[in-house]
Amino acid sequence: LGNHLTLNLTGFLTKFEDYQQQAFDPALAIFVVTNAGDVHTNGIELEITYAPSERLSISGGVTYLDAGYDFDTGPCYAGQTAALGCIGGRQDLRGGAFVNAPDLRCTILARYTQPVSAASQVYGQMNFRWQDDVQFAYDQDPRFIQPAYGIADFKLGATFAGGRYDVSVIV
C-alpha cells in the first residue's frame, strides 16, 4: 500500500520461577511481599498503523493475554470457606488470574492534522481503549475484580514552533 500500512504481530511465551508478589496479609492488615511460585504470561499482540495521507493517521492494537499462576497452593482470601476452595488456610491457585492482567485489551487512535503555517498546525484526535475485567488480588478475592471498561478521549490542539509547543483541550 505504498508504505502507508504497518502491521506488527508478536507472540510470546514467558515463565517466571519464584515470582515475588505483593499480597495482603489479613492477620497483619498490611501488604507484604511473598513468593508467588511459578507464573506464566503467554499471548499474542497485533498492532496496526495506517497513514493514508500526511494529515491522517489511524492506529490500533489488540492483545490477548493468558497470564496465571502455575502452582497448587496459595493463601485464601478473607472469608473464603472450604466450599469456596480454602482447605487449611490454603487454596489451589493454578489457573487463577494474574494480578492486573486483563485477558483482552484493545486500542484505536485516529488523528487528523491541518497545517496553519510552516511551523504550526492544528489537530483533532480520538482515542479509545477497552480492557477485559481484571483481578487485583493475588489470593483471587472476587471482591477485587474490576469489571471490563472502555475509555474514550477526544483532543483538539495546536502545535507551534515546529512542534516545540503543544496546546490542547482533552475531553
Side-chain angles (χ1 to χ4, degrees):
L1 298 174
N3 292 324
H4 294 281
L5 179 67
T6 302
L7 290 172
N8 292 311
L9 180 63
T10 304
F12 52 94
L13 301 168
T14 309
K15 188 160 189 80
F16 298 94
E17 295 178 1
D18 298 322
Y19 184 77
Q20 299 296 300
Q21 175 77 52
Q22 188 177 43
F24 186 73
D25 184 331
L28 300 173
I30 60 170
F31 283 93
V32 296
V33 175
T34 184
N35 185 340
D38 295 346
V39 300
H40 68 272
T41 58
N42 306 324
I44 190 165
E45 183 174 84
L46 173 67
E47 297 172 329
I48 184 170
T49 301
Y50 180 57
S53 72
E54 289 182 13
R55 295 183 185 172
L56 177 63
S57 65
I58 301 166
S59 61
V62 177
T63 301
Y64 169 74
L65 180 65
D66 169 30
Y69 300 98
D70 298 332
F71 59 98
D72 60 359
T73 182
C76 297
Y77 58 84
Q80 186 177 11
T81 64
L84 295 172
C86 182
I87 309 297
R90 306 295 286 172
Q91 66 171 314
D92 186 346
L93 290 177
R94 254 184 312 227
F98 196 67
V99 173
N100 196 21
D103 290 342
L104 190 60
R105 183 176 286 160
C106 306
T107 63
I108 188 165
L109 180 135
R111 182 178 174 115
Y112 184 80
T113 60
Q114 177 65 49
V116 177
S117 71
S120 63
Q121 63 183 6
V122 293
Y123 63 89
Q125 180 174 306
M126 183 281 302
N127 184 32
F128 182 74
R129 305 178 297 287
W130 179 88
Q131 74 173 32
D132 210 352
D133 60 334
V134 173
Q135 171 61 265
F136 283 107
Y138 160 64
D139 60 13
Q140 306 299 297
D141 189 331
R143 296 169 289 201
F144 290 93
I145 295 175
Q146 180 178 25
Y149 67 92
I151 297 174
D153 298 319
F154 301 93
K155 184 177 184 179
L156 293 174
T159 61
F160 306 95
R164 186 172 178 186
Y165 302 103
D166 189 326
V167 178
S168 60
V169 176
I170 302 170
V171 176

